[in-house]
Amino acid sequence: MKAKITVNKKFTIGEIDRRIYGSFIEHVGRAVYEGIYEPDHPTADDQGFRGDVMELVKKLNVPIVRYPGGNFVSVYNWEDGIGDKSKRPRRMELAWGALESNQVGIDEFQEWAKRANSEVMMAVNLGTRGMDDARNCVEYCNSKADSYYANLRRANGFEEPFGFKVWCLGNEMDGSWQLGRKTAEEYGRLAAETAKVMKRVDNTIELVACGCTDYSRIGDWEYTILDHTYPYVDYVSLHTYYANKENNSQRFLARTEEMNDYINGVVAYCDALKAKKKSTKTINLSYDEWNVVCRRQPQDAAERDKDKWTEARHQLEDVYNFEDALVVGCMLMTLQNHSDRVKMACIAQLVNVIAPIMTEKGGKVWKQTTFYPFYYGSNYGNGATLRTMIETDTYDVEGYRKDIPYLVSSVIYNAEAGELVIYAVNRSLDEDMELELDLEGFASYELFEHIELYNDDLKAINDKDTERVAPVNVPIGDKVVLKKHSWNMLRFTVNA
Ligand code: AHR
């Protein structure tokens, strides 16, 4: 099979905001305890953070990490996680049915994030709590005033404010599973009023309103909440998890076509409200939960609840296979190709819970298959995304979609580094693809690196002892060939 990508140096979509390579740590399962934090682990640092995990997080180069949830935040009291650790309450954690020791909270997480070279994207509880707690939390984290919560932070040993810039106004407030769920009208009013008080405390913060959590339901929710919040918020959120439920890989690989439509749909609502309000401000998108999921949901309550109300339960520990990595690669390309409007995104999550990094208690850390497309995206996908004209064969999936392109790609021009990076997935399950490139507007270009992620077995996994899915360097020849069902990164030196 043959395919062709044409780009022109001058035809850019937008400059990539590095925050699209963000991630997410929620107090669920073993993400925090036995994930980023395990004081008894041989690699633990002076604060109890696992050094082996930190090393991999740094490799992933995540500029922003959403915290503390997720569903967790909708029942969380942020004050439980500050000050003297020995006095912190142990709570029944209602979102996930666990016991929360509160040994990690805002005080510790801001330090972990600093050590990981990341910013914190902080979420406030608009489920069981509201405006008052949200503004107090901003004061605790960000204020320099001689005021109660800022002084409480100082008393807890932090003279300087944490300076969290991005704040989420709740989490998935439309979802039936969300404790404190709201109607669009209720949420829109609450989010607008909460945004106002939070920005009174610190007018430099950026706020994310909850979009609805399912592409099939966007519409009334976006319209109503944006109608209420437009003047006060800066982003609207999107969340997506794809699963190969039908065990149809060709269909699974095509799911990012929906992600593309979802982004375009939410952009359309943002811009409709902009027009309605005659506003000069543009609301952008924060795709602050995205990933694939492959877990088997426990069907009976006994299995689901067997370790209820215990700490660090093994929850959502999905084991990713090779085709999951391909879909993650395609999802990341979709985000890059919307760099004009998607300014933040978080792969959900980072450690142990639907995560690229896995740990065993007291033992090893390892990389899941999905680690690699994210690693190469985050480390090399910097600069401006170029508009692509793609010529490729297409396929149909009966009962789903027609004309699905075999080739998925994003092209990023890093003028400063004199480099062009092409990410590409060949969605064909049985044919290699010869790729032709027409890179207009560059005086010259030369391919110097071709990284490929491939396994003959779409179901191959990595575990703590064996890495079956790992990138390889493809020798540079006369032709560029993308193997059947492979993920690729091509790096070129370019002269403008
Ligand atoms: O990431 C796991 C959960 O998925 C989050 O807590 C929630 O926001 C989403 O439904």
Side-chain angles (χ1 to χ4, degrees), residues 360-388:
E360 64 178 350
K361 186 180 181 185
K364 286 186 179 174
V365 66
W366 66 99
K367 305 180 195 100
Q368 295 233 54
T369 60
T370 53
F371 184 95
Y372 289 108
F374 190 91
Y375 165 82
Y376 285 107
S378 169
N379 283 287
Y380 299 99
N382 299 308
T385 315
L386 299 185
R387 282 186 195 287
T388 48

Side-chain angles (χ1 to χ4, degrees), residues 24 26-28 66 68-73 95-96 171-172 177-178 213 239 241 288-291 293 295 316 348-349 353-354:
F24 180 27
E26 174 171 6
H27 283 250
V28 49
R66 189 163 174 253
N71 299 338
F72 173 85
V73 80
W96 299 100
N171 177 68
E172 298 189 345
W177 57 91
Q178 206 64 216
T213 42
H239 290 182
Y241 296 96
D288 47 43
E289 286 187 37
W290 68 269
N291 208 339
V293 286
R295 62 184 173 271
L316 313 191
Q349 300 192 7
V353 171
I354 42 173

Side-chain angles (χ1 to χ4, degrees), residues 15-26:
E15 201 60 36
I16 286 187
D17 187 323
R18 267 208 54 75
R19 294 176 301 175
I20 68 165
Y21 302 119
S23 190
F24 180 27
I25 287 282
E26 174 171 6

Side-chain angles (χ1 to χ4, degrees), residues 63 67 117 119 141 206 216 317-318 376 384 389 438 458 462:
Y67 179 83
N117 306 320
E119 271 181 54
C141 295
E206 296 186 325
S216 62
E317 299 202 7
D318 288 23
Y376 285 107
M389 197 183 87
D438 189 355
L458 285 169
N462 293 344

